[in-house]
């Protein structure tokens, strides 16, 4: 069985959980506590296993696979149905561009390691960290909402079924809510997120449903 | 003919230029000056064209395509030879994980917009910005070098021909040198970069060879 090195509140791990659930792939979740101060990802035995010292990673029969987006493409090739990205190159590119706007332009700036660094390097307080966090979400979401307005309304981000775009959107939306981002300028994104969160694959993948979740 | 919205020193645009050259695709470069203070990417007419207000973007017969990695996958599907990623899902995943370590874990933290934000928000001076910049390069390169040590030595990052991994590595290496990063801990990465920079597709794509390049 696949092993997922996981953390309930890691949005990159959340993406992979959704992907695994959409594909109906059974997996074993192995929580790695990345909470600053605990930092299991930087300690043995995980450190030797994954020198990137990040979650998620997937242990397959062939070895360890890192990077949530690479894992999702591998999943999509290894378990072809249902498809996470359209086969058509142009449509696929639109879905990937959406996914990468979150994966490259928003999420890396909001990562725990970055927030820790900002606090350490620039003595940023919580208000400042929150502003930083929301700034990158707003920039990225603005672009995605604007692009969405050019397309016909759809149930999910790209059609009647969830795709890689929704897999990326839902965890980022959870982060946005956690950091109290005003989502009123993004009605399309909000609607897609609400639809997706009612889907069983997304429900099962939600942070609060994970065995290592810490109740507030 | 394809139009590439380009900037000589944008490493994301540099990736796309390499990809286009490797595929032998003719394109027209349209420079968008993203230098802070000029910020053509945030002004009309580009802003309406690409609400992400970033370069690169590619104007195709079907419309505009954004996000360098989405553009490269689209290129690879539209012009199948030579392949930028191995067809085998497992090998492909290794190449993509390498590419995404640069594309998600290093480059987004070193982007001009982020450096500008750090200066603005946290009054970071040039030394501080340099330290920030090198910190993320070292973390990411450490992981890549460590993973490289587990594999047999190869001419390029993944074999005898350049792949998406080299397309991502070379521009990031150029940035690393520009910010005076000590590269001695990364001998494999340095060797791959040196090999790739002798390849005509990479030479033609180099920042200093572009028509909008500003000579030092």
């Amino acid at each position: 069985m696949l092993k997922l090195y996981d953390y309930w509140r890691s949005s990159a791990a959340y993406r992979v959980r959704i992907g695994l659930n959409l594909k109906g792939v059974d997996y074993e979740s192995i929580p790695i506590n990345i909470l600053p101060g605990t930092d299991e990802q930087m300690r043995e035995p995980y450190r030797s296993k994954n020198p990137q010292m990040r979650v998620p990673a997937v242990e397959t029969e062939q070895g360890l696979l890192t990077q949530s987006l690479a894992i999702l493409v591998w999943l999509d090739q290894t378990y072809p149905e249902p498809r996470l990205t359209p086969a058509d190159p142009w449509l696929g590119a639109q879905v990937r561009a959406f996914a990468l706007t979150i994966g490259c332009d928003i999420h890396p700036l909001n990562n725990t390691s970055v927030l820790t660094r900002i606090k350490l390097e620039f003595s940023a307080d919580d208000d400042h960290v929150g502003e930083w966090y929301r700034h990158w979400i707003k920039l990225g979401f603005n672009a995605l909402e604007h692009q969405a307005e050019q397309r016909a309304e759809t149930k999910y981000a790209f059609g009647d079924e969830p795709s890689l775009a929704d897999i990326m959107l839902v965890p980022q939306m959870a982060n946005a809510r956690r950091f109290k981002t005003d989502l009123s300028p993004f009605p399309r994104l909000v609607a897609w997120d609400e639809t997706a969160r009612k889907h069983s694959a997304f429900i099962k993948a939600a942070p609060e449903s994970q065995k290592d979740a810490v109740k507030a």
Side-chain angles (χ1 to χ4, degrees), chain A:
Chain A
M1 196 193 296
L2 282 185
K3 285 180 189 170
L4 172 66
Y5 296 96
D6 201 4
Y7 180 66
W8 68 291
R9 216 157 65 176
S10 153
S11 51
Y14 189 177
R15 297 169 189 163
V16 174
R17 294 194 299 262
I18 300 169
L20 287 162
N21 295 342
L22 282 170
K23 295 290 189 180
V25 174
D26 246 4
Y27 68 94
E28 180 191 356
S29 165
I30 301 175
I32 302 293
N33 191 338
I34 62 170
L35 205 68
T38 306
D39 302 309
E40 269 191 283
Q41 80 281 12
M42 298 186 195
R43 300 175 197 273
E44 297 301 346
Y46 189 72
R47 186 195 177 105
S48 291
K49 195 175 282 291
N50 180 8
Q52 295 189 1
M53 298 184 280
R54 290 173 178 265
V55 293
V58 163
E59 185 94 54
T60 75
E61 282 174 12
Q62 287 168 287
L64 194 82
L65 204 52
T66 64
Q67 292 289 341
S68 61
L69 278 162
I71 295 169
L72 288 163
V73 173
W74 175 83
L75 263 181
D76 212 16
Q77 293 178 331
T78 310
Y79 306 90
E81 296 296 331
R83 292 193 69 98
L84 304 181
T85 31
D88 177 79
W90 176 255
L91 291 179
Q94 304 304 314
V95 171
R96 278 183 210 100
F98 184 107
L100 289 161
T101 299
I102 292 174
C104 296
D105 297 347
I106 303 179
H107 181 251
L109 282 323
N110 290 0
N111 209 294
T112 309
S113 61
V114 175
L115 305 184
T116 303
R117 192 85 199 157
I118 289 172
K119 288 182 199 170
L120 196 81
E121 281 270 317
F122 305 117
S123 314
D125 59 19
D126 284 349
D127 283 354
H128 227 147
V129 168
E131 265 176 58
W132 167 273
Y133 201 99
R134 288 183 293 272
H135 173 77
W136 302 109
I137 292 178
K138 280 181 217 161
L139 268 187
F141 277 7
N142 261 330
L144 294 178
E145 183 75 22
H146 196 98
Q147 289 168 326
E149 287 165 8
Q150 319 299 313
R151 304 198 304 270
E153 284 196 40
T154 47
K155 191 176 162 195
Y156 290 95
F158 287 86
D160 289 337
E161 299 296 335
S163 73
L164 182 65
D166 305 282
I167 292 176
M168 299 296 285
L169 176 64
V170 167
Q172 188 59 60
M173 276 294 212
N175 287 347
R177 284 191 302 271
R178 187 149 72 92
F179 276 77
K180 304 196 188 321
T181 312
D182 174 16
L183 295 173
S184 61
F186 318 115
R188 295 256 183 143
L189 303 186
V190 166
W192 293 331
D193 172 63
E194 279 177 8
T195 302
R197 281 192 290 138
K198 290 176 194 144
H199 188 300
S200 60
F202 290 75
I203 293 172
K204 211 177 129 192
E208 58 276 14
S209 315
Q210 306 312 304
K211 62 184 177 187
D212 58 331
V214 176
K215 306 296 179 232

